[in-house]
Amino acid sequence: MGEPTAQEAADLPAAIMPAVAPVLPSFVRVLRVRKDTHDTWTIWLERPDGYPDHRAGQFNMLYAPGVGEVPISIASSARESRTRIAHTIRRVGAVTRRLTSLRRGETIGLRGPYGSAWPVAESQGADVVVVAGGLGLAPLRPAIVELLARRKRYGALALLYGARTPADLLYTAELGKWRSVLDFQLLVTVDRADRSWHGHIGVVTTLIPAVTFDPQNTVALVCGPEIMMRFAVRDLLDRGVPARRIYVSLERNLQCAVGFCGHCQLGPKFICADGPVFAFDEIAPYFSVREL
Amino acid sequence: MTPPETIQDVRSHPFFKDLPEQVVEAVLSLAKERDYAEGAWLCREGDPADRFFLILSGTVAVELHAPHTGKRRIQTLGAGDAVGWSWLIPPHRWQFDVFTVRPTRVAEFDAQELRKLCESDHTVGYYVTKRLLEVVSRRLAAARIQLMDMYA
Ligand SMILES: Cc1cc2nc3c(=O)[nH]c(=O)nc-3n(C[C@H](O)[C@H](O)[C@H](O)COP(=O)(O)OP(=O)(O)OC[C@H]3O[C@@H](n4cnc5c(N)ncnc54)[C@H](O)[C@@H]3O)c2cc1C
């Protein structure tokens, strides 16, 4: 083993934990609604007064009056706008149904930003590999925007994105733009497609061997359904990326967002108060990876 | 005779990674580099599996067809992948259709010659079989994850 590089020596934090946000919601207007896929919408909300600059990976609690409140990741970067905040929402139940039926001008409750963040600034000088599955691209989007905005400060950059079918791909216009960014390895794959699709077919983990990066000096950001993260993490470890440099976002159900209710407890950790972004070595025992 | 730079291309294919030199040499002596235009067939389901391919560049699609649902594209493979193991296992018939979706360069092996080499030199046979088993195992794992419909 040679000398550790500067990046290896500078210990990456277990989780990036910005200041705690207020517990009471502000009421904000819906500024724009876009349908992304058959079950997913992006809504832009006005930024409340006094709302701090959020970090990539954090979430807000969105409250649909009379229906309920749910955690939703922030899909935009604070760099992009000081007046609005984007959320990409999949319609799965009562609250998300209401949130995805909102029209421009309607009002909902928002509190946040909460939770830990992706180590974007902390990864400068390293290679960064982003692995997203399905809706997992939403909380990674602000990280990608920030990485690309300061492209020169990073080594190799790659985004591996998998979805069920081509029709389930999020942010297709933006993917098109990212594809033309020099020095950015963007690989997209789907599980099923007809012949009109000329891209990759196969699970997102099959893309990992196709990207160029230096495993020891790589930070990996992984988000998607837990089963996908499990296999992606395993393959990244196999490739030689250290467990403490692999970050995952656990978006399991949570309620209070401030560590009171215990609903989202994972071993000694609370996803809401300690997460959702964790360094993998921290949560490995509670994550369903058996072979390490 | 295959030109030397061609052999170099094929030699760096992951299929040969960490194999003993004499095994690599023996297998490489049967390699023929070939270019396929987009839309060319490498294998057709039910046909004799008379060749083995290592993809050097490009993309191929693996398809299966069923009478009612029509063609289903199961997977794509690219540079660094191997295509087919049916050539090694009786009855030596392809189980899938494979065709190029982009212009594709491969190292192609005559299945009969490669089988003969594996039979006559069991060291080569062992390493080739072991490597193919790794390919099969990875594909099976990927197919299982795919079955779970994990993005749902
Ligand atoms: C930190 C965090 C960030 C999140 N970010 C997003 C986001 O950006 N976009 C988005 O659409 N959703 C996100 N979610 C999930 C979202 O909070 C839930 O989908 C929502 O709470 C469901 O509420 P509901 O009333 O619509 O459905 P419910 O009636 O509560 O649930 C409907 C179905 O969805 C399942 N479900 C509920 N919550 C989850 C969950 N967290 N994970 C998996 N399955 C679940 C339930 O088991 C049930 O089967 C996030 C969750 C967390 C914890």
Side-chain angles (χ1 to χ4, degrees), chain B residues 19-76:
Chain B
L19 291 192
E21 191 49 35
Q22 88 269 16
V23 173
V24 177
E25 286 302 330
V27 176
L28 277 181
S29 71
L30 303 180
K32 291 191 184 67
E33 202 168 316
R34 237 186 114 173
D35 287 300
Y36 285 91
E38 182 180 325
W41 294 93
L42 299 191
C43 326
R44 304 198 74 147
E45 188 184 343
D47 281 358
D50 54 1
R51 282 166 304 161
F52 170 55
F53 308 91
L54 297 176
I55 305 180
L56 303 174
S57 65
T59 309
V60 304
V62 181
E63 283 190 350
L64 193 60
H65 67 271
H68 301 297
T69 50
K71 293 240 176 254
R72 173 130 180 221
R73 204 171 268 193
I74 309 170
Q75 185 182 44
T76 50

Side-chain angles (χ1 to χ4, degrees), chain A residues 70-73 88-90 92-96 135 251-254:
Chain A
V70 293
I72 300 290
S73 303
T88 297
I89 308 173
R90 178 181 282 165
V92 295
V95 181
T96 49
L135 193 58
E251 315 223 314
R252 285 188 197 168
N253 225 339
L254 61 81

Side-chain angles (χ1 to χ4, degrees), chain A residues 14-21 23 57-59 61 71 111 113-117 249-278 282-283:
Chain A
I16 313 300
M17 191 58 72
V20 173
V23 181
Q58 290 196 286
F59 66 94
M61 295 298 287
R111 59 190 177 100
Y114 292 115
S116 55
S249 180
L250 289 183
E251 315 223 314
R252 285 188 197 168
N253 225 339
L254 61 81
Q255 281 178 0
C256 75
V258 289
F260 289 154
C261 76
H263 194 84
C264 65
Q265 197 162 356
L266 186 75
K269 305 272 179 201
F270 289 92
I271 292 176
C272 71
D274 303 311
V277 177
F278 294 95
E282 266 221 308
I283 48 123

